[in-house]
Amino acid sequence: MITLDHTMWWIIWPVLGFWMWSGRSGWRGGRHRDRWGGRRQEFDAEPLLKELDAQKVQIDEMSARLAELENRADFTERMLSSPKESAVGPTSSRA
């Protein structure tokens, strides 16, 4: 097991300084790099915003269709629950 005592600080500070200076930690502006050392690409949100707008339009269309189906179901329920009219007419009973 390696222990760091006060005699090892003469090598730790230069290594730490070089690490900060080289930009690997991301502390220096403009030198942010990805995990593999390449430049980071800027995030383009435009395709995602277009897809989100398309999904909003689709949701609006679906909610309009659902409202129409609810209206039709209510109409059908009212038609089925109304009293049925007899096709023959009133019957008279002879006593």
Side-chain angles (χ1 to χ4, degrees):
M1 179 168 94
I2 299 174
T3 60
L4 294 177
D5 57 1
H6 296 289
T7 60
M8 294 295 290
W9 285 108
W10 65 271
I11 197 165
I12 302 254
W13 283 112
V15 169
L16 184 63
F18 179 75
W19 179 66
M20 289 172 47
W21 177 76
S22 67
R24 297 281 183 235
S25 65
W27 291 351
R28 294 180 61 186
R31 296 206 49 192
H32 297 288
R33 298 185 180 273
D34 65 1
R35 212 177 269 187
W36 296 277
R39 296 289 286 171
R40 286 188 187 171
Q41 294 181 358
E42 294 296 322
F43 178 73
D44 186 19
E46 190 65 30
L48 294 177
L49 290 174
K50 287 181 182 179
E51 183 179 347
L52 183 63
D53 289 338
Q55 287 178 355
K56 285 180 183 179
V57 168
Q58 187 178 11
I59 288 173
D60 290 341
E61 291 173 357
M62 286 183 181
S63 54
R65 290 178 65 189
L66 181 62
E68 180 64 29
L69 287 172
E70 286 176 346
N71 288 337
R72 289 182 181 200
D74 289 342
F75 176 75
T76 305
E77 185 179 352
R78 284 194 306 270
M79 291 299 291
L80 291 175
S81 66
S82 67
K84 296 181 182 177
E85 297 178 8
S86 175
V88 178
T91 59
S92 60
S93 60
R94 292 187 180 186

